[in-house]
Coordinates of all heavy atoms in Angstrom, one line a residue:
C96 N -118.1 9.5 83.8 CA -116.7 9.8 83.6 C -116.5 11.3 83.9 O -117.3 12.1 83.4 CB -116.3 9.5 82.2 SG -114.7 10.2 81.7
G97 N -115.5 11.7 84.7 CA -115.3 13.1 85.1 C -114.9 13.9 83.9 O -115.1 15.1 83.9
A98 N -114.3 13.3 82.9 CA -113.8 14.0 81.7 C -114.8 14.2 80.6 O -115.0 15.4 80.2 CB -112.6 13.3 81.2
C99 N -115.6 13.2 80.3 CA -116.5 13.3 79.1 C -117.9 13.1 79.4 O -118.8 13.3 78.6 CB -116.1 12.3 78.0 SG -116.5 10.6 78.4
G100 N -118.2 12.8 80.7 CA -119.6 12.6 81.1 C -120.3 11.3 80.7 O -121.5 11.1 80.9
H101 N -119.5 10.4 80.1 CA -120.0 9.1 79.7 C -120.6 8.4 80.9 O -119.9 8.2 81.9 CB -118.9 8.3 79.1 CG -119.1 6.8 79.0 ND1 -120.1 6.3 78.2 CD2 -118.5 5.8 79.7 CE1 -120.1 5.0 78.4 NE2 -119.1 4.6 79.2
A102 N -121.9 8.0 80.8 CA -122.5 7.2 81.9 C -121.9 5.9 82.0 O -121.8 5.1 81.1 CB -124.0 7.1 81.6
I103 N -121.4 5.6 83.3 CA -120.7 4.3 83.5 C -121.7 3.2 83.6 O -122.6 3.2 84.5 CB -119.8 4.4 84.7 CG1 -118.7 5.4 84.4 CG2 -119.2 3.1 85.1 CD1 -118.0 5.9 85.7
R104 N -121.6 2.2 82.7 CA -122.6 1.1 82.7 C -122.2 0.0 83.7 O -121.1 0.0 84.2 CB -122.6 0.4 81.3 CG -123.2 1.4 80.2 CD -123.1 0.8 78.9 NE -121.8 0.9 78.3 CZ -121.5 1.6 77.2 NH1 -122.4 2.4 76.6 NH2 -120.2 1.6 76.8
W105 N -123.2 -0.8 84.1 CA -122.9 -1.7 85.2 C -121.7 -2.6 85.0 O -120.9 -2.8 85.9 CB -124.2 -2.6 85.5 CG -124.5 -3.6 84.4 CD1 -125.3 -3.4 83.4 CD2 -123.9 -4.9 84.3 NE1 -125.3 -4.6 82.6 CE2 -124.5 -5.5 83.1 CE3 -123.0 -5.7 85.0 CZ2 -124.2 -6.8 82.7 CZ3 -122.7 -7.0 84.6 CH2 -123.3 -7.5 83.4
Y106 N -121.5 -3.0 83.8 CA -120.3 -3.9 83.5 C -119.0 -3.2 83.5 O -117.9 -3.8 83.4 CB -120.5 -4.8 82.3 CG -120.8 -4.0 81.0 CD1 -119.8 -3.4 80.3 CD2 -122.1 -3.7 80.6 CE1 -120.0 -2.7 79.1 CE2 -122.4 -3.0 79.5 CZ -121.4 -2.5 78.7 OH -121.6 -1.7 77.6
E107 N -119.1 -1.8 83.5 CA -117.8 -1.0 83.6 C -117.6 -0.6 85.1 O -116.7 0.1 85.4 CB -118.0 0.3 82.8 CG -118.0 0.0 81.3 CD -118.4 1.3 80.5 OE1 -118.9 2.2 81.1 OE2 -118.2 1.3 79.3
N108 N -118.4 -1.2 86.0 CA -118.4 -0.8 87.4 C -118.1 -2.0 88.3 O -118.4 -1.9 89.5 CB -119.7 -0.1 87.7 CG -119.5 1.0 88.8 OD1 -118.3 1.3 89.2 ND2 -120.6 1.5 89.3
I109 N -117.7 -3.1 87.7 CA -117.4 -4.3 88.5 C -116.0 -4.1 89.2 O -115.0 -3.7 88.5 CB -117.3 -5.5 87.7 CG1 -118.7 -5.7 86.9 CG2 -117.0 -6.8 88.5 CD1 -118.6 -6.7 85.8
P110 N -116.0 -4.2 90.6 CA -114.8 -3.9 91.3 C -113.5 -4.5 90.6 O -113.6 -5.7 90.3 CB -115.0 -4.4 92.7 CG -116.5 -4.4 92.8 CD -117.0 -4.7 91.4
V111 N -112.5 -3.8 90.5 CA -111.1 -4.3 90.0 C -111.2 -4.8 88.6 O -110.5 -4.4 87.7 CB -110.5 -5.3 91.0 CG1 -109.1 -5.6 90.5 CG2 -110.4 -4.7 92.4
I112 N -112.1 -5.8 88.3 CA -112.2 -6.4 87.0 C -112.4 -5.4 85.9 O -111.7 -5.4 84.9 CB -113.3 -7.5 87.0 CG1 -113.0 -8.6 88.0 CG2 -113.5 -8.1 85.6 CD1 -114.1 -9.6 88.3
S113 N -113.4 -4.5 86.1 CA -113.7 -3.5 85.1 C -112.4 -2.6 84.8 O -112.1 -2.3 83.7 CB -114.9 -2.7 85.4 OG -116.0 -3.4 85.4
Y114 N -111.8 -2.3 85.9 CA -110.6 -1.4 85.8 C -109.5 -2.1 84.9 O -109.0 -1.5 84.0 CB -110.0 -1.1 87.2 CG -108.8 -0.1 87.1 CD1 -109.0 1.2 87.1 CD2 -107.5 -0.6 87.1 CE1 -108.0 2.1 87.1 CE2 -106.4 0.2 87.0 CZ -106.7 1.6 87.0 OH -105.6 2.5 87.0
L115 N -109.3 -3.4 85.2 CA -108.3 -4.2 84.4 C -108.8 -4.3 83.0 O -108.0 -4.1 82.1 CB -108.1 -5.5 85.1 CG -107.4 -5.5 86.5 CD1 -107.4 -6.9 87.1 CD2 -106.1 -4.8 86.5
A116 N -110.1 -4.7 82.8 CA -110.6 -4.9 81.4 C -110.5 -3.6 80.6 O -110.2 -3.6 79.4 CB -112.0 -5.4 81.5
L117 N -110.7 -2.4 81.2 CA -110.7 -1.2 80.5 C -109.3 -0.6 80.5 O -109.0 0.5 79.9 CB -111.6 -0.1 81.2 CG -113.1 -0.4 81.2 CD1 -113.8 0.5 82.2 CD2 -113.7 -0.1 79.8
R118 N -108.3 -1.3 81.1 CA -106.9 -0.9 81.2 C -106.8 0.5 81.8 O -106.0 1.3 81.3 CB -106.2 -1.0 79.8 CG -106.3 -2.4 79.3 CD -105.5 -2.6 78.1 NE -105.7 -4.0 77.6 CZ -105.1 -4.5 76.6 NH1 -104.3 -3.8 75.9 NH2 -105.3 -5.7 76.2
G119 N -107.7 0.7 82.8 CA -107.6 1.9 83.5 C -108.0 3.2 82.8 O -107.6 4.3 83.1
R120 N -108.8 3.0 81.7 CA -109.2 4.2 80.9 C -110.7 4.2 80.7 O -111.3 3.1 80.6 CB -108.5 4.1 79.5 CG -107.0 4.3 79.7 CD -106.3 4.4 78.4 NE -104.9 4.5 78.6 CZ -104.3 5.7 79.0 NH1 -105.0 6.8 79.1 NH2 -103.0 5.7 79.2
C121 N -111.3 5.4 80.5 CA -112.7 5.5 80.2 C -113.0 4.8 78.8 O -112.2 5.0 77.9 CB -113.1 7.0 80.2 SG -114.7 7.3 79.4
S122 N -114.1 4.1 78.7 CA -114.3 3.3 77.5 C -114.6 4.3 76.3 O -114.4 4.0 75.2 CB -115.5 2.4 77.7 OG -116.7 3.1 77.9
Q123 N -115.1 5.5 76.7 CA -115.5 6.5 75.6 C -114.3 7.4 75.2 O -113.9 7.4 74.1 CB -116.6 7.3 76.2 CG -117.6 7.9 75.1 CD -118.4 6.8 74.5 OE1 -118.7 5.7 75.1 NE2 -118.8 7.0 73.3
C124 N -113.8 8.1 76.2 CA -112.8 9.2 75.9 C -111.3 8.7 76.2 O -110.4 9.5 75.9 CB -113.1 10.5 76.6 SG -112.9 10.4 78.4
K125 N -111.2 7.6 76.8 CA -109.8 7.0 77.0 C -109.0 7.8 78.1 O -107.8 7.6 78.2 CB -109.0 6.9 75.7 CG -109.7 6.1 74.6 CD -110.0 4.7 75.0 CE -110.8 4.0 73.9 NZ -111.4 2.7 74.4
T126 N -109.7 8.7 78.8 CA -109.0 9.4 79.9 C -108.7 8.4 81.0 O -109.6 7.6 81.3 CB -109.9 10.5 80.4 OG1 -110.2 11.4 79.4 CG2 -109.2 11.3 81.5
S127 N -107.5 8.5 81.6 CA -107.2 7.4 82.5 C -108.0 7.6 83.8 O -108.3 8.7 84.3 CB -105.7 7.5 82.8 OG -105.3 8.7 83.4
I128 N -108.4 6.5 84.4 CA -109.1 6.4 85.6 C -108.1 6.3 86.8 O -107.2 5.5 86.6 CB -110.1 5.2 85.6 CG1 -111.0 5.3 84.4 CG2 -110.9 5.2 86.9 CD1 -111.8 4.0 84.1
S129 N -108.3 7.0 87.9 CA -107.4 6.9 89.0 C -107.2 5.5 89.5 O -108.2 4.8 89.7 CB -107.8 7.9 90.1 OG -107.0 7.6 91.3
V130 N -105.9 5.1 89.7 CA -105.6 3.8 90.2 C -106.1 3.6 91.6 O -106.2 2.5 92.2 CB -104.1 3.5 90.1 CG1 -103.3 4.3 91.1 CG2 -103.8 2.0 90.2
R131 N -106.5 4.8 92.3 CA -106.9 4.7 93.6 C -108.2 3.9 93.8 O -108.4 3.3 94.8 CB -107.1 6.2 94.1 CG -107.0 6.2 95.7 CD -107.1 7.6 96.1 NE -108.4 8.0 96.4 CZ -108.8 9.2 97.0 NH1 -107.8 10.1 97.3 NH2 -110.0 9.5 97.3
Y132 N -109.1 4.0 92.8 CA -110.4 3.3 92.9 C -110.2 1.8 93.1 O -110.7 1.2 94.1 CB -111.2 3.6 91.7 CG -111.7 5.0 91.6 CD1 -111.2 5.8 90.6 CD2 -112.6 5.5 92.5 CE1 -111.6 7.2 90.5 CE2 -113.0 6.9 92.4 CZ -112.5 7.7 91.4 OH -112.9 9.0 91.4
P133 N -109.4 1.1 92.2 CA -109.2 -0.3 92.5 C -108.4 -0.6 93.7 O -108.6 -1.6 94.4 CB -108.5 -0.9 91.2 CG -107.9 0.4 90.6 CD -108.8 1.5 90.9
I134 N -107.5 0.3 94.1 CA -106.7 0.1 95.3 C -107.6 0.1 96.5 O -107.5 -0.8 97.4 CB -105.6 1.2 95.5 CG1 -104.5 1.0 94.4 CG2 -105.0 1.1 96.9 CD1 -103.4 2.0 94.4
V135 N -108.6 1.1 96.6 CA -109.5 1.1 97.7 C -110.4 -0.2 97.8 O -110.6 -0.7 98.8 CB -110.4 2.4 97.6 CG1 -111.6 2.3 98.6 CG2 -109.6 3.6 97.8
E136 N -110.8 -0.6 96.6 CA -111.5 -1.9 96.5 C -110.7 -3.1 97.1 O -111.2 -3.9 97.9 CB -112.0 -2.1 95.1 CG -113.1 -1.2 94.6 CD -113.2 -1.0 93.1 OE1 -112.5 -1.7 92.4 OE2 -114.1 -0.2 92.7
V137 N -109.5 -3.2 96.6 CA -108.7 -4.3 97.1 C -108.4 -4.2 98.6 O -108.5 -5.2 99.3 CB -107.3 -4.4 96.2 CG1 -106.4 -5.3 96.9 CG2 -107.6 -4.7 94.8
V138 N -108.0 -3.0 99.0 CA -107.7 -2.9 100.5 C -108.9 -3.2 101.3 O -108.8 -4.0 102.3 CB -107.2 -1.4 100.8 CG1 -107.2 -1.1 102.3 CG2 -105.8 -1.2 100.2
T139 N -110.1 -2.8 100.9 CA -111.3 -3.1 101.6 C -111.6 -4.6 101.6 O -112.0 -5.2 102.6 CB -112.5 -2.3 101.1 OG1 -112.2 -0.9 101.0 CG2 -113.8 -2.4 102.0
G140 N -111.4 -5.2 100.4 CA -111.6 -6.6 100.3 C -110.7 -7.4 101.2 O -111.1 -8.3 101.9
V141 N -109.4 -7.0 101.3 CA -108.4 -7.7 102.1 C -108.8 -7.5 103.6 O -108.7 -8.5 104.4 CB -107.0 -7.1 101.9 CG1 -106.0 -7.6 102.9 CG2 -106.5 -7.5 100.5
L142 N -109.2 -6.3 104.0 CA -109.6 -6.1 105.4 C -110.8 -6.9 105.8 O -110.9 -7.5 106.9 CB -109.8 -4.6 105.6 CG -108.6 -3.7 105.6 CD1 -109.0 -2.2 105.5 CD2 -107.7 -3.9 106.8
F143 N -111.8 -7.0 104.9 CA -113.0 -7.8 105.1 C -112.6 -9.3 105.3 O -113.1 -10.0 106.2 CB -114.0 -7.6 104.0 CG -115.0 -6.4 104.3 CD1 -114.5 -5.2 104.6 CD2 -116.3 -6.6 104.1 CE1 -115.3 -4.1 104.8 CE2 -117.2 -5.5 104.3 CZ -116.7 -4.3 104.6
A144 N -111.7 -9.7 104.4 CA -111.3 -11.1 104.4 C -110.6 -11.4 105.7 O -110.8 -12.4 106.4 CB -110.4 -11.4 103.2
L145 N -109.8 -10.4 106.2 CA -109.0 -10.6 107.4 C -110.0 -10.7 108.6 O -109.9 -11.6 109.5 CB -108.1 -9.4 107.6 CG -107.3 -9.4 108.9 CD1 -106.2 -10.5 108.9 CD2 -106.7 -8.0 109.2
C146 N -111.1 -9.8 108.6 CA -112.0 -9.9 109.7 C -112.8 -11.2 109.7 O -113.0 -11.8 110.8 CB -113.1 -8.7 109.5 SG -112.4 -7.1 109.8
A147 N -113.1 -11.7 108.5 CA -113.9 -13.0 108.5 C -112.9 -14.2 108.9 O -113.3 -15.1 109.5 CB -114.4 -13.2 107.1
Y148 N -111.7 -14.1 108.5 CA -110.7 -15.1 108.8 C -110.5 -15.2 110.3 O -110.5 -16.3 110.9 CB -109.3 -14.8 108.2 CG -108.3 -15.8 108.4 CD1 -108.3 -17.0 107.7 CD2 -107.3 -15.7 109.4 CE1 -107.3 -18.0 107.9 CE2 -106.4 -16.6 109.6 CZ -106.4 -17.8 108.9 OH -105.4 -18.8 109.1
R149 N -110.5 -14.0 111.0 CA -110.2 -14.0 112.4 C -111.4 -14.2 113.2 O -111.4 -14.9 114.2 CB -109.6 -12.6 112.8 CG -108.9 -12.6 114.1 CD -108.2 -11.3 114.4 NE -106.9 -11.1 113.7 CZ -106.4 -10.0 113.3 NH1 -107.0 -8.9 113.5 NH2 -105.2 -10.0 112.7
F150 N -112.6 -13.7 112.8 CA -113.8 -13.8 113.7 C -114.9 -14.6 113.1 O -115.9 -14.8 113.7 CB -114.3 -12.4 113.9 CG -113.3 -11.4 114.5 CD1 -112.8 -10.3 113.7 CD2 -112.9 -11.5 115.8 CE1 -111.9 -9.5 114.3 CE2 -111.9 -10.7 116.4 CZ -111.5 -9.6 115.6
G151 N -114.7 -15.1 111.8 CA -115.7 -15.9 111.1 C -116.8 -14.9 110.6 O -116.7 -13.7 110.8
I152 N -117.8 -15.5 109.9 CA -118.9 -14.8 109.5 C -119.9 -14.6 110.7 O -120.8 -15.4 110.8 CB -119.7 -15.4 108.3 CG1 -118.6 -15.8 107.2 CG2 -120.8 -14.6 107.8 CD1 -118.3 -14.6 106.3
T153 N -119.6 -13.7 111.5 CA -120.3 -13.5 112.8 C -120.6 -12.0 113.0 O -120.2 -11.2 112.2 CB -119.5 -13.9 114.0 OG1 -118.3 -13.1 113.9 CG2 -119.1 -15.4 113.9
F154 N -121.4 -11.7 114.0 CA -121.7 -10.3 114.3 C -120.4 -9.6 114.6 O -120.2 -8.4 114.2 CB -122.6 -10.2 115.5 CG -124.1 -10.3 115.1 CD1 -124.8 -11.4 115.7 CD2 -124.7 -9.5 114.2 CE1 -126.2 -11.5 115.3 CE2 -126.0 -9.7 113.8 CZ -126.7 -10.7 114.4
T155 N -119.5 -10.3 115.3 CA -118.2 -9.7 115.7 C -117.4 -9.4 114.4 O -116.8 -8.2 114.2 CB -117.4 -10.6 116.6 OG1 -118.1 -10.9 117.7 CG2 -116.0 -10.0 116.9
G156 N -117.4 -10.3 113.4 CA -116.7 -10.1 112.2 C -117.2 -8.9 111.4 O -116.5 -8.1 110.9
A157 N -118.6 -8.9 111.4 CA -119.3 -7.8 110.6 C -119.0 -6.5 111.3 O -118.8 -5.5 110.6 CB -120.8 -8.1 110.6
L158 N -118.9 -6.5 112.6 CA -118.7 -5.2 113.3 C -117.3 -4.7 113.0 O -117.1 -3.5 112.7 CB -118.9 -5.5 114.8 CG -119.2 -4.2 115.7 CD1 -120.4 -3.5 115.2 CD2 -119.3 -4.7 117.1
W159 N -116.3 -5.6 113.0 CA -114.9 -5.1 112.8 C -114.8 -4.7 111.3 O -114.0 -3.9 111.0 CB -113.9 -6.2 113.2 CG -113.7 -6.2 114.7 CD1 -114.1 -7.1 115.6 CD2 -112.9 -5.2 115.4 NE1 -113.7 -6.8 116.9 CE2 -113.0 -5.6 116.8 CE3 -112.3 -4.0 115.1 CZ2 -112.4 -4.9 117.8 CZ3 -111.7 -3.3 116.2 CH2 -111.7 -3.7 117.5
A160 N -115.5 -5.4 110.4 CA -115.4 -5.0 109.0 C -116.0 -3.6 108.8 O -115.5 -2.8 108.0 CB -116.2 -6.1 108.1
T161 N -117.1 -3.3 109.6 CA -117.6 -2.0 109.5 C -116.6 -0.9 110.0 O -116.5 0.2 109.4 CB -118.9 -1.9 110.3 OG1 -119.8 -3.0 109.9 CG2 -119.7 -0.6 110.1
F162 N -116.0 -1.3 111.1 CA -114.9 -0.4 111.6 C -113.9 -0.1 110.5 O -113.5 1.0 110.3 CB -114.2 -1.2 112.8 CG -113.0 -0.7 113.4 CD1 -113.1 0.3 114.4 CD2 -111.7 -1.1 113.1 CE1 -111.9 0.8 115.0 CE2 -110.6 -0.6 113.7 CZ -110.7 0.4 114.7
A163 N -113.4 -1.2 109.8 CA -112.5 -1.0 108.7 C -113.0 -0.1 107.7 O -112.3 0.8 107.2 CB -112.1 -2.4 108.2
A164 N -114.2 -0.3 107.2 CA -114.8 0.5 106.1 C -114.9 1.9 106.5 O -114.5 2.8 105.7 CB -116.2 -0.1 105.8
L165 N -115.3 2.2 107.7 CA -115.5 3.6 108.2 C -114.1 4.3 108.2 O -113.9 5.5 107.9 CB -116.2 3.7 109.5 CG -117.7 3.4 109.5 CD1 -118.2 3.1 110.9 CD2 -118.4 4.5 108.9
L166 N -113.1 3.6 108.7 CA -111.7 4.1 108.8 C -111.1 4.4 107.4 O -110.4 5.4 107.2 CB -110.8 3.3 109.7 CG -111.1 3.3 111.2 CD1 -110.1 2.4 111.9 CD2 -111.1 4.7 111.7
V167 N -111.4 3.5 106.5 CA -110.9 3.7 105.1 C -111.5 5.0 104.6 O -110.7 5.8 104.0 CB -111.3 2.5 104.2 CG1 -111.1 2.9 102.7 CG2 -110.4 1.3 104.5
C168 N -112.7 5.3 104.8 CA -113.4 6.5 104.4 C -112.7 7.7 105.1 O -112.4 8.7 104.4 CB -114.9 6.5 104.7 SG -115.8 5.4 103.7
Q169 N -112.6 7.7 106.4 CA -112.1 8.8 107.1 C -110.6 9.1 106.7 O -110.2 10.2 106.5 CB -112.1 8.6 108.6 CG -113.5 8.5 109.2 CD -114.3 9.8 109.1 OE1 -114.4 10.4 108.0 NE2 -114.9 10.3 110.2
F170 N -109.9 8.0 106.5 CA -108.5 8.2 106.0 C -108.4 9.0 104.7 O -107.7 10.0 104.7 CB -107.9 6.8 105.8 CG -106.4 6.8 105.4 CD1 -105.4 6.7 106.3 CD2 -106.1 6.8 104.0 CE1 -104.1 6.7 105.9 CE2 -104.7 6.8 103.6 CZ -103.7 6.7 104.6
L171 N -109.2 8.6 103.7 CA -109.0 9.3 102.4 C -109.8 10.6 102.4 O -109.3 11.5 101.7 CB -109.5 8.3 101.3 CG -108.5 7.2 101.0 CD1 -109.1 6.1 100.2 CD2 -107.2 7.7 100.4
I172 N -110.9 10.7 103.1 CA -111.6 12.0 103.0 C -110.8 13.1 103.7 O -110.6 14.2 103.2 CB -113.0 11.9 103.7 CG1 -114.0 11.0 102.9 CG2 -113.6 13.2 104.0 CD1 -115.3 10.7 103.6
D173 N -110.1 12.7 104.8 CA -109.3 13.7 105.5 C -108.1 14.1 104.6 O -107.6 15.2 104.5 CB -108.8 13.2 106.8 CG -108.3 14.4 107.7 OD1 -108.1 15.5 107.2 OD2 -108.2 14.2 108.9
L174 N -107.5 13.0 104.0 CA -106.3 13.3 103.1 C -106.7 14.2 102.0 O -105.9 15.1 101.6 CB -105.8 11.9 102.6 CG -104.4 11.8 102.2 CD1 -103.4 12.1 103.3 CD2 -104.1 10.4 101.6
D175 N -107.9 14.0 101.4 CA -108.3 14.8 100.3 C -108.8 16.2 100.7 O -108.5 17.2 100.0 CB -109.5 14.2 99.6 CG -109.1 12.9 98.8 OD1 -107.9 12.7 98.6 OD2 -110.1 12.2 98.4
T176 N -109.5 16.3 101.8 CA -110.2 17.6 102.0 C -110.0 18.2 103.4 O -110.5 19.2 103.7 CB -111.8 17.3 102.0 OG1 -112.1 16.4 103.0 CG2 -112.2 16.7 100.6
Q177 N -109.2 17.5 104.2 CA -108.9 18.0 105.6 C -110.2 18.0 106.4 O -110.4 18.8 107.4 CB -108.2 19.3 105.7 CG -106.7 19.3 105.5 CD -106.4 19.2 104.0 OE1 -106.8 20.1 103.2 NE2 -105.6 18.3 103.6
L178 N -111.2 17.2 106.0 CA -112.5 17.1 106.8 C -112.6 15.7 107.3 O -112.1 14.7 106.7 CB -113.7 17.3 105.9 CG -113.8 18.7 105.2 CD1 -115.0 18.7 104.2 CD2 -114.1 19.8 106.3
L179 N -113.2 15.6 108.5 CA -113.5 14.2 109.1 C -115.0 14.3 109.4 O -115.4 14.8 110.4 CB -112.7 14.0 110.4 CG -111.3 13.5 110.2 CD1 -110.6 13.5 111.6 CD2 -111.2 12.1 109.7
P180 N -115.8 13.8 108.5 CA -117.3 13.9 108.6 C -117.8 13.4 110.0 O -117.4 12.3 110.4 CB -117.9 13.1 107.5 CG -116.8 13.1 106.5 CD -115.5 13.1 107.2
D181 N -118.5 14.2 110.7 CA -119.2 13.8 111.9 C -120.0 12.6 111.7 O -120.1 11.7 112.6 CB -120.1 14.9 112.5 CG -119.3 15.9 113.3 OD1 -118.1 15.6 113.7 OD2 -119.9 17.0 113.6
S182 N -120.7 12.6 110.6 CA -121.7 11.5 110.3 C -120.9 10.1 110.4 O -121.5 9.1 110.9 CB -122.3 11.6 108.9 OG -121.3 11.9 108.0
L183 N -119.7 10.1 110.0 CA -118.9 8.8 110.1 C -118.3 8.6 111.5 O -118.3 7.5 112.0 CB -117.8 8.7 109.0 CG -118.3 8.9 107.5 CD1 -117.1 8.7 106.6 CD2 -119.4 7.9 107.2
N184 N -117.8 9.7 112.0 CA -117.2 9.6 113.4 C -118.2 9.2 114.4 O -117.8 8.4 115.3 CB -116.6 11.0 113.8 CG -115.2 11.2 113.4 OD1 -114.5 10.2 113.1 ND2 -114.7 12.4 113.5
Y185 N -119.4 9.7 114.3 CA -120.4 9.3 115.3 C -120.9 7.9 115.2 O -121.1 7.2 116.2 CB -121.6 10.3 115.3 CG -121.3 11.7 115.9 CD1 -121.9 12.8 115.4 CD2 -120.3 11.8 116.9 CE1 -121.5 14.1 115.9 CE2 -120.0 13.1 117.4 CZ -120.6 14.2 116.9 OH -120.2 15.4 117.4
V186 N -121.0 7.4 114.0 CA -121.4 6.0 113.7 C -120.3 5.1 114.3 O -120.6 4.2 115.0 CB -121.6 5.7 112.2 CG1 -121.7 4.2 112.0 CG2 -122.8 6.5 111.7

Side-chain angles (χ1 to χ4, degrees):
C96 166
C99 72
H101 162 67
I103 294 164
R104 292 177 283 246
W105 69 265
Y106 55 84
E107 292 170 343
N108 211 7
I109 302 165
V111 185
I112 295 170
S113 293
Y114 183 85
L115 295 175
L117 294 165
R118 299 187 185 182
R120 295 184 181 281
C121 167
S122 65
Q123 208 70 27
C124 69
K125 307 296 174 199
T126 303
S127 66
I128 303 163
S129 171
V130 72
R131 203 174 93 173
Y132 294 112
I134 290 176
V135 168
E136 289 159 0
V137 169
V138 166
T139 310
V141 169
L142 290 168
F143 272 47
L145 178 75
C146 291
Y148 183 79
R149 197 173 280 155
F150 306 109
I152 306 280
T153 58
F154 280 121
T155 302
L158 202 57
W159 282 107
T161 309
F162 173 83
L165 288 165
L166 287 181
V167 166
C168 289
Q169 293 296 51
F170 181 91
L171 285 169
I172 290 175
D173 197 346
L174 205 59
D175 288 347
T176 64
Q177 281 81 53
L178 297 171
L179 279 171
D181 274 348
S182 50
L183 302 183
N184 268 347
Y185 287 149
V186 171

